[in-house]
Amino acid sequence: MQIMMRSIKLLVIVTICTAIGLTSCTKNEIKYADFEEVTSSEARIKFNYNIAYSANPGIQIKLNGQRISPLLTARYPYPGGGYNTLGDSRADYLRATPGKQEVSISIPKRGTLTDSVVLYKTEITTEPGKAYTLHLTDTAANTKSFLTQDDHSIPDSGFVRFRFVNLMPNVPAVDLYYGGVLVVGNISYLSASDYFLRPILTTAAVAWTIRPTGSAPTSTALATYTSANTFLNRRSYTVFATGYSGRTDAVRRPYVSFFLIK
């Protein structure tokens, strides 16, 4: 059904008032679209939200002061979700006006769109006809973000495209393995690997694993994740390492997770 909907390129408009169940608020609309529907005068943006407070409060994302998300909690690529994340598994982005934009992350006052506590603010610059992900991580005064431009070309049949991002604040660099094979190594905090291709699976899926750079392939992993959904034919993914090494609670422990770019 999802593939069928994409083939006819539906444009879905979601009203925030409905999404968050408020009885009265201004009519803010979020527009979702396949990349082909975005004109050369528009940009697209996704927010990979990983600001992981222990209490894990529900937050809102605002763009130039306008709320553009429902309440989110940590490990949520919005819109679209991902694998080993919250949300679903669509390759959705938000349409955005190109140029300089202010992004803010805040806890709203209960039942309103008004900021109660602003957790983070930053500015991003986007270009028309391009798609981006703003990755957000850590907490309090150490909160950081960085912007990646996403490749929306489609891989050849039989292949899958990946990029690996390190969002682990207390791990200087991370290696990514598939099974016992090093796929990409020495990805420093707040940076991304080059894109790389892998053939689709011809056997059962095995574990994706992250380890501190320099660790032996047989050493204890920071995190693992196994799913055949991470090898869908001609799809493009961002793989990201998040959480804190040494933590064991569900919100802040290490994860290796995925979201669809295309």
Side-chain angles (χ1 to χ4, degrees):
M1 180 63 179
Q2 182 177 345
I3 294 173
M4 184 183 301
M5 290 182 69
R6 291 192 182 283
S7 68
I8 61 176
K9 301 179 182 177
L10 283 180
L11 174 62
V12 181
I13 301 177
V14 179
T15 302
I16 289 181
C17 299
T18 302
I20 63 176
L22 297 182
T23 57
S24 64
C25 62
T26 57
K27 187 179 180 183
N28 298 299
E29 290 184 334
I30 309 172
K31 296 183 178 180
Y32 302 87
D34 286 337
F35 187 65
E36 291 82 4
E37 294 176 322
V38 179
T39 70
S40 60
S41 64
E42 296 176 312
R44 291 210 304 173
I45 184 74
K46 185 188 289 285
F47 299 88
N48 187 16
Y49 178 72
N50 292 276
I51 300 175
Y53 288 92
S54 294
N56 205 16
I59 63 90
Q60 60 187 0
I61 301 173
K62 289 186 175 181
L63 197 62
N64 297 325
Q66 181 183 20
R67 179 168 169 167
I68 49 84
S69 78
L71 290 180
L72 306 177
T73 51
R75 215 168 76 261
Y76 200 138
Y78 179 79
Y83 301 107
N84 208 21
T85 72
L86 302 179
D88 52 35
S89 55
R90 297 173 298 164
D92 283 339
Y93 285 69
L94 301 180
R95 291 183 174 188
T97 302
K100 186 174 290 187
Q101 313 275 351
E102 182 188 78
V103 177
S104 66
I105 308 296
S106 63
I107 302 172
K109 294 180 180 178
R110 185 181 298 273
T112 76
L113 305 180
T114 304
D115 295 338
S116 175
V117 179
V118 177
L119 299 175
Y120 182 68
K121 268 187 182 180
T122 191
E123 284 189 345
I124 61 173
T125 301
T126 60
E127 296 181 25
K130 296 181 180 179
Y132 301 86
T133 298
L134 182 66
H135 303 271
L136 299 126
T137 187
D138 214 347
T139 57
N142 295 320
T143 301
K144 299 288 192 302
S145 67
F146 77 105
L147 191 69
T148 56
Q149 184 180 324
D150 299 335
D151 182 353
H152 278 256
S153 62
I154 301 175
D156 290 338
S157 184
F159 290 90
V160 189
R161 181 188 292 118
F162 299 92
R163 177 169 57 188
F164 180 51
V165 174
N166 178 12
L167 302 177
M168 298 189 71
N170 65 343
V171 182
V174 174
D175 295 340
L176 176 69
Y177 287 80
Y178 185 71
V181 177
L182 178 66
V183 176
V184 62
N186 197 26
I187 304 304
S188 60
Y189 177 51
L190 297 178
S191 66
S193 73
D194 294 333
Y195 284 100
F196 57 93
L197 292 174
R198 299 278 292 183
I200 60 173
L201 293 179
T202 56
T203 59
V206 297
W208 291 94
T209 304
I210 51 173
R211 293 183 171 89
T213 292
S215 300
T218 55
S219 63
T220 300
L222 292 167
T224 64
Y225 180 66
T226 304
S227 174
N229 288 326
T230 61
F231 272 94
L232 301 178
N233 188 34
R234 305 192 76 188
R235 303 310 294 265
S236 184
Y237 300 82
T238 290
V239 191
F240 62 100
T242 189
Y244 297 83
S245 178
R247 294 296 298 249
T248 58
D249 57 290
V251 176
R252 291 163 66 86
R253 70 178 176 86
Y255 289 89
V256 55
S257 300
F258 294 73
F259 64 81
L260 283 163
I261 296 174
K262 185 66 178 175

